[in-house]
Amino acid sequence: MEIALAATRTGNNEAAAKERAEREAQRQLLATEELVYTERNYLRLLQVCTCTIRSNLQKLQPPLPNLDSMFLYIEEVIDVSGRLLSLLDQKQVTPHDPLFLETLCDAFLSLSTDIESAYKEYLANYNNVTALESSYKQKEPLWTEMVKVIKSSAPEVNATSLSFFLVMPVQRIARYPLLLQTIMKHTDPGHPAYSLLEQTAHTSIALNCRINEYKRFREVADKYTKTETLTIRDKINRLNSHSIAKKTARLSQFIKHETGIAPKLVDEEFDALEGFFYLLENGIAVLHENVETYLSHLQRFLSCRPEEFDLDMDGEKPAICYKEITTALRQWILPTFEKRMRTLVHKPLCALRELLVGPRNLIRKRLDKLLDYELIEEKPSLSYDEQAVANTYKTINTLLLNELPQFNGLALTLLWGMLGAFSCLHKDLAADMEQLFQGFAQQLPHSSLEPNAFWEWAECSVLEGARMLESLCRNVEDQLNAPIVQPLSPGSQKCLKVLTDKHGSGKIYQLTGHVVGTRDLDLSLNRGELVAIISEMDTRGDRRRWLVDAGGPRGYVPSSKLVRYHQVTMDPPPSPHLTVTTMDCAGGVRRHSYTPDPVRTVSMTMSCFQVFAGYDFTARSSHEVSLRAGEPIRVLEPHDKRGSRDWSLVEVRGQRGYVPSNYLAVVPTSTTPYH
């Protein structure tokens, strides 16, 4: 009897276990089918949104502003979802097949990197999507038309806004872990694909965590990379006790770093990235300035049209050919070249320069947050606000370490691309000019020469012209031993004005050579750049390193690389521009005109006025002579060999040379006129 009861009980348990296993298998099948079915439906709705609804919205008049921004990165999401379903369909297995679970896990794991890449960018941009849709809703007639288009394009879902579709990727990526965990919950641990399913579920959870972390990083970056144009009043209105205390603490910490009182947190990896970014930014700024100057000179060249004037050269066949060539250059070849230059080089360069603003602001904000973080780093416990400060600094620092190398690399690639385009444009220009000249080759002199002889003659002519030009320049340099004042570029003029207004003209110095920073707070500057001296020593009293203001960044440069910049003004202060009359040895009269205004000429004898050096001046070349303030000067000529009155030829201490005219002062010694 007991044996019969035990057998019955065992049979019941086996039946219950079998029934339980069947229920679990059925639930597993339902969860698997739900994942696949919802994925197909999700993909279909996204395709309806991006194809049908988007194309119908683009037909609205007037066109919707920034409509394409609503669909940023959604194509990548559609692509990765389609690839996931394609991998399942390729195996030709159904959810009822025992191998389907393994196929599903393999497909998800193989695409996990692509899924993360597509969804993290979409989710990071989703806040912009909602903000743009809110701006549409504020225009009621426009929003009414949009709702009509959405309803007519997808009547089966009864959607009333774009966010009905655009929020689906946000929901879908979070649903993958739930669906996979549900399948795993109803899968027997002894199932062959259980370990693979468990790995897939953990991967989906980790994937969501990384996407959320990236989204948080982007939100912090977007917050601090925004540029605001605030007036002084706006800035004052933003001041409160909290902000004043925070800025005061930062300034105090910064001073402690500079004076060596408190150590500074050093991150060599970030410092290298920051240095390369500023080097890249400086290179882009210089290239942008040079391209704008180049285009400005090209426009000025095109504005001169000598070929439009009748030079009375009828019958002069070569001259007529040259005129036709010049006309073609100015009316067709060079304008086309200029247009392509602006499209392929100048506009991308301007866009790249604007892209630098965000990383630059983020780097500056990192320094502020670093100073805040250092103040609380040593505390054993942090308050809620202090923990937020620490998290913000770590977030910005991690974001910069992860993305600044990519930005630097892409910016450098774009820069090389622009330089390559610049080179190709000039190659095309040379080809167009060669083609143009070939059309006139038979009408020009030397057209009867053989090709090899012609090119030999052309090469010899060019080389001879270059030699003559070089000889002329050398002769001019040897004979006109006057200092040459190079005009400042527009950017340098702006920098000079800012530095002069802030520090005064007496503090302006110029670099005599390139400087590459090798120590903390050192600057990397190019030869000829202007700086203002803040201190003639560093914080340790070393006078070989001077603290300078480079028109923005401040730091140290070697004092041996600096010389005082002597600005030549258009209206110099009173200088010894007098008409001096002396008698030469033959009894004749020798006159040196020192008068800037020929109408008002004052004739004085040398005994009535004495010229002195008004300021110290250090000679920068063999053509100049040094002055010491207060020493008597003999003026030989009030201008240089080119007639410029900005420089005067003087004799002092038995040496002759040029000095700036506005460094000289005239002191009357007698009022007796010369008769």
Side-chain angles (χ1 to χ4, degrees):
M1 189 67 179
E2 292 180 359
I3 295 175
L5 290 174
T8 303
R9 193 177 299 112
T10 302
N12 292 337
N13 291 339
E14 290 177 354
K18 184 177 180 180
E19 182 181 355
R20 199 163 46 248
E22 290 177 353
R23 277 200 311 268
E24 292 295 326
Q26 186 65 26
R27 290 172 182 173
Q28 180 208 65
L29 177 62
L30 291 175
T32 305
E33 290 178 340
E34 180 185 2
L35 190 152
V36 177
Y37 173 77
T38 54
E39 187 72 22
R40 296 188 189 279
N41 189 54
Y42 160 70
L43 178 60
R44 181 182 64 82
L45 291 176
L46 288 185
Q47 290 172 339
V48 169
C49 177
T50 56
C51 297
T52 308
I53 297 178
R54 183 180 184 179
S55 60
N56 291 337
L57 288 175
Q58 289 173 340
K59 297 176 183 178
L60 290 178
Q61 295 296 330
L64 294 174
N66 300 321
L67 178 63
D68 291 338
S69 301
M70 295 282 290
F71 300 92
L72 279 179
Y73 306 111
I74 198 169
E75 297 292 345
E76 289 80 358
V77 172
I78 292 175
D79 176 68
V80 75
S81 179
R83 288 162 58 193
L84 177 63
L85 292 174
S86 177
L87 289 175
L88 296 178
D89 295 338
Q90 286 176 4
K91 296 294 184 179
Q92 297 182 353
V93 291
T94 63
H96 299 81
D97 196 310
L99 296 177
F100 183 82
L101 195 58
E102 183 178 351
T103 303
L104 174 64
C105 294
D106 287 336
F108 191 90
L109 290 174
S110 64
L111 294 175
S112 60
T113 302
D114 296 336
I115 292 173
E116 179 181 352
S117 177
Y119 278 90
K120 73 176 184 180
E121 295 296 343
Y122 184 86
L123 267 66
N125 185 65
Y126 184 71
N127 289 339
N128 297 331
V129 172
T130 56
L132 186 56
E133 187 178 53
S134 298
S135 68
Y136 291 151
K137 289 181 179 179
Q138 293 176 1
K139 303 173 183 178
E140 188 173 346
L142 176 64
W143 181 248
T144 302
E145 290 296 321
M146 290 181 64
V147 171
K148 290 181 180 179
V149 170
I150 294 170
K151 287 185 175 181
S152 62
S153 302
E156 70 277 7
V157 294
N158 194 28
T160 58
S161 66
L162 275 176
S163 59
F164 175 86
F165 299 95
L166 298 179
V167 76
M168 288 181 178
V170 181
Q171 299 169 338
R172 187 63 184 176
I173 192 63
R175 197 173 180 187
Y176 283 133
L178 298 177
L179 291 171
L180 290 170
Q181 286 176 332
T182 302
I183 295 173
M184 187 174 68
K185 177 181 177 182
H186 300 296
T187 301
D188 185 12
H191 192 284
Y194 185 83
S195 60
L196 189 60
L197 178 62
E198 188 176 21
Q199 179 186 353
T200 306
H202 290 323
T203 299
S204 66
I205 295 172
L207 185 146
N208 272 268
C209 292
R210 289 194 297 270
I211 291 175
N212 289 334
E213 190 71 7
Y214 179 79
K215 186 174 184 294
R216 186 173 68 86
F217 283 178
R218 286 292 300 273
E219 288 174 351
V220 172
D222 292 342
K223 174 182 177 181
Y224 290 115
T225 52
K226 292 179 181 178
T227 55
E228 294 180 312
T229 305
L230 300 176
T231 63
I232 296 178
R233 178 176 296 179
D234 294 334
K235 293 180 180 179
I236 293 176
N237 290 336
R238 287 192 173 189
L239 289 177
N240 52 48
S241 58
H242 175 71
S243 63
I244 293 174
K246 184 168 62 175
K247 294 181 184 302
T248 303
R250 288 176 182 171
L251 179 60
S252 173
Q253 187 70 7
F254 182 77
I255 293 174
K256 290 179 181 178
H257 289 163
E258 295 302 305
T259 55
I261 297 176
K264 178 182 177 181
L265 283 178
V266 178
D267 189 337
E268 295 182 357
E269 181 182 1
F270 176 79
D271 291 343
L273 291 173
E274 181 186 21
F276 184 77
F277 172 81
Y278 283 126
L279 185 65
L280 192 62
E281 182 183 33
N282 182 63
I284 292 172
V286 171
L287 180 61
H288 179 267
E289 180 181 335
N290 290 340
V291 170
E292 286 195 334
T293 304
Y294 180 92
L295 292 173
S296 175
H297 291 167
L298 183 59
Q299 284 182 333
R300 293 177 62 185
F301 175 76
L302 293 174
S303 65
C304 301
R305 299 179 178 272
E307 69 277 2
E308 295 180 355
F309 296 91
D310 187 5
L311 302 179
D312 193 18
M313 293 186 299
D314 294 338
E316 301 270 347
K317 192 172 182 180
I320 294 174
C321 290
Y322 288 135
K323 181 177 180 179
E324 292 179 0
I325 291 172
T326 306
T327 302
L329 281 175
R330 294 180 185 275
Q331 294 183 0
W332 170 56
I333 293 180
L334 291 179
T336 303
F337 170 76
E338 181 192 10
K339 183 178 179 181
R340 295 183 67 197
M341 175 70 73
R342 292 190 181 278
T343 303
L344 299 177
V345 178
H346 185 253
K347 287 184 179 179
L349 193 58
C350 293
L352 179 59
R353 194 178 184 190
E354 292 176 359
L355 289 176
L356 297 173
V357 176
R360 186 197 314 129
N361 290 344
L362 199 59
I363 289 173
R364 292 175 180 174
K365 183 55 65 174
R366 175 194 176 275
L367 176 59
D368 293 340
K369 297 301 179 182
L370 173 61
L371 296 174
D372 296 340
Y373 177 71
E374 288 178 335
L375 294 173
I376 62 175
E377 182 186 17
E378 301 298 333
K379 291 187 177 181
S381 60
L382 301 179
S383 64
Y384 178 81
D385 292 337
E386 291 172 341
Q387 188 63 50
V389 169
N391 291 339
T392 301
Y393 164 71
K394 293 177 181 178
T395 299
I396 295 177
N397 189 64
T398 303
L399 181 64
L400 286 172
L401 289 176
N402 291 339
E403 298 204 352
L404 194 56
Q406 301 176 28
F407 180 87
N408 288 344
L410 291 174
L412 186 61
T413 302
L414 291 173
L415 187 59
W416 281 116
M418 294 172 202
L419 292 174
F422 186 84
S423 177
C424 290
L425 287 175
H426 282 78
K427 182 179 179 181
D428 294 343
L429 176 63
D432 291 340
M433 295 180 70
E434 181 182 3
Q435 183 179 3
L436 173 65
F437 276 86
Q438 285 177 351
F440 293 91
Q442 300 301 322
Q443 306 175 40
L444 294 173
H446 306 91
S447 59
S448 59
L449 296 176
E450 292 294 329
N452 292 336
F454 174 80
W455 287 114
E456 183 179 353
W457 166 81
E459 183 178 357
C460 292
S461 300
V462 172
L463 293 176
E464 180 63 24
R467 280 194 294 268
M468 293 174 62
L469 180 60
E470 184 179 0
S471 176
L472 175 63
C473 294
R474 188 165 50 249
N475 291 337
V476 169
E477 184 178 356
D478 293 339
Q479 295 176 13
L480 305 181
N481 294 326
I484 300 175
V485 180
Q486 295 291 341
L488 293 176
S489 64
S492 298
Q493 290 177 356
K494 182 179 178 181
C495 179
L496 175 62
K497 184 179 184 304
V498 171
L499 294 176
T500 304
D501 293 343
K502 188 183 297 185
H503 302 280
S505 59
K507 295 285 188 179
I508 308 301
Y509 279 67
Q510 194 169 26
L511 273 87
T512 60
H514 297 288
V515 174
V516 179
T518 57
R519 299 167 59 183
D520 193 24
L521 295 180
D522 280 358
L523 294 180
S524 295
L525 301 173
N526 295 322
R527 180 179 180 272
E529 289 195 41
L530 301 177
V531 297
I533 302 301
I534 300 175
S535 174
E536 296 186 1
M537 65 177 72
D538 62 10
T539 54
R540 300 179 182 274
D542 187 355
R543 295 186 177 274
R544 294 173 298 177
R545 297 174 73 224
W546 286 7
L547 180 62
V548 302
D549 180 359
R554 296 187 175 190
Y556 294 100
V557 297
S559 59
S560 59
K561 295 283 188 178
L562 296 172
V563 294
R564 188 183 297 275
Y565 175 73
H566 303 288
Q567 182 181 5
V568 180
T569 60
M570 296 302 294
D571 298 319
S575 60
H577 292 162
L578 307 171
T579 300
V580 181
T581 305
T582 58
M583 301 296 294
D584 62 8
C585 58
V589 178
R590 182 183 179 187
R591 298 182 182 274
H592 296 276
S593 176
Y594 286 13
T595 307
D597 188 353
V599 179
R600 300 181 61 185
T601 303
V602 181
S603 296
M604 297 290 179
T605 62
M606 290 298 291
S607 60
C608 295
F609 281 83
Q610 177 64 53
V611 183
F612 292 92
Y615 309 93
D616 289 338
F617 174 71
T618 303
R620 296 170 294 182
S621 69
S622 59
H623 308 314
E624 301 175 4
V625 64
S626 298
L627 299 179
R628 290 193 295 270
E631 65 180 345
I633 304 296
R634 180 188 174 193
V635 179
L636 303 179
E637 291 182 355
H639 52 76
D640 59 18
K641 293 293 184 180
R642 299 182 180 181
S644 173
R645 294 185 177 274
D646 295 330
W647 294 85
S648 297
L649 180 63
V650 302
E651 181 177 353
V652 56
R653 300 186 302 279
Q655 299 178 355
R656 293 188 178 189
Y658 287 93
V659 298
S661 299
N662 54 358
Y663 274 55
L664 304 180
V666 181
V667 179
T669 59
S670 172
T671 58
T672 304
Y674 173 77
H675 300 285

